[in-house]
Amino acid sequence: MSATQSSAPMPTPKTFAEADPEKKPSTSKNDSTTALPGLAKPIVRPQYTAFTPGRQRFIILVVTAAGFFGPLAGNIYLPALPVLQDQFNTSATSINATVSVFMGVLAVAPLLWASLADYGGRKPLYMISLLIFIGANILLAALPANLAALFILRIVQGFGAASVLSLGAGTVADITEPKRRASQMSIVLLGPQLGPVLGPLIGGAITGSASWRWTFGFLAITCSAVYVVLTFCLPETLRSIVGTGEIYAHKNWVTRPVWRQKPVVDPKKFPKPPPPTLLSLFKLLYYPPVVIVSMNSAILFSAYYAMAVTFPRFLEDIYGFTSAEVGVAYMAPGLGLVAGSLISGRVSDWHRGVFTKRYPNTPIHPERRLHLQIPGILVSLSGILMYGWFNNFHVSAAGVIIAAAIAAFGMTWVFITTTSYLTESFHKTPATLVALASLFRNPAAAVAAVVVEPLITKMGIGWCFTGLALVELGCVASILFLMVNGKEMRRKFEEKEAKAGPPGRPGMGPPLGVGVPPAIGELSAGPIEVKRPGMSA
């Protein structure tokens, strides 16, 4: 070694975690490189997914369509309730109970489907659950009117429909890198958001012109069409089974269905979580960030639901709307849901990209998205406040409808950032975390629907919804707490799981500081070994 070589300072190589995670691929279809100072060769960074952009869009479209049927089945049924009461010769309370059992199943069943999907694969669960849903609808359309059969089949119908939202979130996490995940998640959530809007319109049209049985026939026929496309064209995406999806890179989009794809990846690079258990689910409830963001979503959803169940009564009793006009008025909060979802996802990803360009050597942690929840919460509570006081003082029907749309916009804005945060924080079990958040939301909505009328009677319309808005305001404090403490809490929880749990750390990503920043997810399996010039292998 010459004097020049010996006196020159040895450059310190950067680890992958310090490299810019947002660099575009520059060498080939599947790889990108980053040349670091002092290295003989550039670091090769594998792409997050091998699916082409066109195929990613197709997968997102299919799972969005599949996610439409659960909420659609819950809401297409509502206009037929008076008819069903006559056909089954029973009380309104009994018929309404068939709605409650369906919603109860939608709250609990996703946990089972999602935990199985995070372990055994996405596609088998799509195929099984939607087949159950189609079968239940066929039986509901064909069997004689029997109240016990109606209850049982509504439970089966809800069980089949319950899987798709959480599975869709898991699929997005499988194929979409974190920097684009919020915007893609906002598209997948359009299905569940359009269901409550279009369901009553479709159900009313069918019930008014044909038999109530055709509401279930319509669900069976349309879902069967989606099922065929899903069976023959949707690939398996679970990363612990197919990794980046390289095995599909050179295959046709239409393939022979495989009931269960065998793992084709190195388990060291894409570790598989252990089999799901109730204990592993309850462990997540000991992790405060999961509970906090899920509770925030539940609070906003319960306030929105309290508004939604009083919406038709106020419009009819105060402003003289007909049932048909109320159905049209529901389009306004529906459009608010869609706009809030799409805009929130794009703003969240845009903000992430701006931070990456400004601080290229700083790993992006999931908590970076959380501050965007604050404007969503403020918008939501503003809509709730206006809705309550506009109705209290009989201001105008237009004002009430606009207030409902504003509240819907803010609520879904928060949902998108919550879902993105959960899927980035726990990249091995994203479907399970989304299902767990649903477990908080649906019971909260059920409680709100029960207590809102007694609260209005005792407090008045304006003060009842003011109280709900103040509860939402408390969510801002919890978000500020997470912004300050969330990263450290996540680090401690992951370290605890790494020490106590089996290999794979149930539901957790790699602990911080081992070479892969959590926000990057599985761009790499771990620390990348780098070599200085002149070093031997």
Side-chain angles (χ1 to χ4, degrees):
M1 183 178 293
S2 67
T4 302
Q5 289 175 314
S6 61
S7 62
M10 184 68 69
T12 303
K14 295 182 180 181
T15 65
F16 178 70
E18 297 172 316
D20 183 357
E22 304 293 341
K23 291 286 187 182
K24 301 290 184 184
S26 57
T27 56
S28 70
K29 177 181 177 181
N30 297 316
D31 298 307
S32 63
T33 60
T34 302
L36 300 181
L39 296 180
K41 295 181 179 179
I43 291 177
V44 177
R45 180 185 297 113
Q47 269 193 342
Y48 187 85
T49 180
F51 292 111
T52 63
R55 196 163 191 184
Q56 289 180 53
R57 288 191 291 270
F58 174 77
I59 293 171
I60 296 296
L61 176 64
V62 172
V63 299
T64 301
F68 178 58
F69 288 101
L72 179 64
N75 290 274
I76 198 174
Y77 181 75
L78 299 180
L81 291 180
V83 177
L84 290 170
Q85 183 180 342
D86 294 335
Q87 291 286 321
F88 286 81
N89 192 27
T90 188
S91 66
T93 301
S94 297
I95 287 296
N96 289 343
T98 63
V99 178
S100 299
V101 296
F102 182 85
M103 295 303 295
V105 173
L106 280 184
V108 177
L111 278 175
L112 171 64
W113 290 117
S115 55
L116 291 173
D118 283 333
Y119 175 74
R122 314 285 187 211
K123 187 168 183 176
L125 276 299
Y126 278 119
M127 296 170 66
I128 294 171
S129 62
L130 289 182
L131 191 61
I132 292 172
F133 178 76
I134 293 169
N137 280 298
I138 291 173
L139 291 175
L140 282 165
L143 289 180
N146 179 278
L147 188 61
L150 179 63
F151 269 94
I152 293 170
L153 289 174
R154 281 290 280 175
I155 291 172
V156 175
Q157 183 193 39
F159 184 73
S163 71
V164 188
L165 173 59
S166 53
L167 289 182
T171 302
V172 171
D174 292 336
I175 66 172
T176 308
E177 55 193 326
K179 68 179 181 180
R180 297 173 49 245
R181 190 168 296 168
S183 56
Q184 297 302 308
M185 200 72 70
S186 69
I187 296 174
V188 169
L189 291 179
L190 284 179
Q193 289 163 358
L194 288 174
V197 178
L198 299 179
L201 295 177
I202 298 173
I206 293 174
T207 304
S209 59
S211 168
W212 61 269
R213 295 182 182 275
W214 273 106
T215 58
F216 301 113
F218 173 82
L219 291 172
I221 293 169
T222 52
C223 189
S224 295
V226 174
Y227 188 82
V228 170
V229 176
L230 184 148
T231 301
F232 288 94
C233 302
L234 186 71
E236 177 59 67
T237 61
L238 184 63
R239 296 178 73 80
S240 63
I241 293 179
V242 299
T244 63
E246 187 67 33
I247 62 168
Y248 299 108
H250 304 292
K251 291 184 178 180
N252 292 328
W253 287 20
V254 179
T255 59
R256 180 176 61 86
V258 176
W259 183 249
R260 187 171 182 180
Q261 174 67 49
K262 294 181 179 179
V264 294
V265 295
D266 184 353
K268 293 181 179 179
K269 293 183 177 179
F270 299 94
K272 189 175 186 177
T277 63
L278 284 176
L279 180 61
S280 63
L281 292 176
F282 286 132
K283 274 185 176 181
L284 294 173
L285 294 177
Y286 284 99
Y287 179 52
V290 169
V291 177
I292 290 172
V293 296
S294 298
M295 282 296 296
N296 285 353
S297 294
I299 289 170
L300 267 67
F301 190 54
S302 62
Y304 172 79
Y305 212 76
M307 181 190 70
V309 297
T310 58
F311 191 65
R313 182 171 72 83
F314 290 159
L315 289 180
E316 290 178 5
D317 294 350
I318 299 175
Y319 303 102
F321 275 45
T322 65
S323 297
E325 289 170 338
V326 169
V328 174
Y330 265 113
M331 295 295 290
L335 292 174
L337 291 173
V338 172
S341 178
L342 294 176
I343 296 173
S344 173
R346 279 155 180 75
V347 169
S348 183
D349 286 344
W350 171 81
H351 171 77
R352 193 179 188 278
V354 169
F355 180 87
T356 300
K357 292 177 181 177
R358 188 174 298 173
Y359 306 103
N361 295 323
T362 301
I364 302 178
H365 300 286
E367 288 75 20
R368 295 283 182 188
R369 292 192 190 269
L370 287 177
H371 74 282
L372 293 173
Q373 288 204 0
I374 295 176
I377 293 170
L378 296 178
V379 169
S380 175
L381 68 87
S382 298
I384 293 294
L385 272 175
M386 288 189 291
Y387 176 82
W389 289 108
F390 286 176
N391 280 308
N392 190 84
F393 291 114
H394 301 189
V395 173
S396 71
V400 170
I401 293 171
I402 293 171
I406 291 172
F409 181 95
M411 182 198 67
T412 194
W413 180 289
V414 174
F415 278 11
I416 295 300
T417 53
T418 293
T419 306
S420 301
Y421 171 74
L422 290 174
T423 58
E424 289 183 21
S425 296
F426 305 90
H427 63 267
K428 289 196 181 67
T429 55
T432 301
L433 265 295
V434 174
L436 195 62
S438 296
L439 184 62
F440 282 79
R441 284 200 305 269
N442 289 331
V447 171
V450 172
V451 304
V452 66
E453 290 294 349
L455 287 175
I456 289 174
T457 302
K458 290 185 177 182
M459 303 172 63
I461 300 173
W463 287 112
C464 173
F465 284 93
T466 298
L468 293 173
L470 290 174
V471 174
E472 289 194 10
L473 186 61
C475 296
V476 174
S478 66
I479 292 300
L480 293 174
F481 172 80
L482 277 186
M483 289 170 60
V484 175
N485 301 291
K487 177 182 172 183
E488 181 64 17
M489 294 166 71
R490 182 160 49 84
R491 184 187 65 80
K492 289 181 179 179
F493 188 73
E494 289 174 351
E495 287 180 352
K496 180 181 177 181
E497 288 296 299
K499 292 177 182 178
R505 298 180 296 279
M508 301 296 110
L512 298 179
V514 298
V516 185
I520 298 177
E522 293 176 327
L523 282 175
S524 166
I528 293 181
E529 180 182 0
V530 295
K531 299 176 183 179
R532 296 172 183 159
M535 292 178 64
S536 59

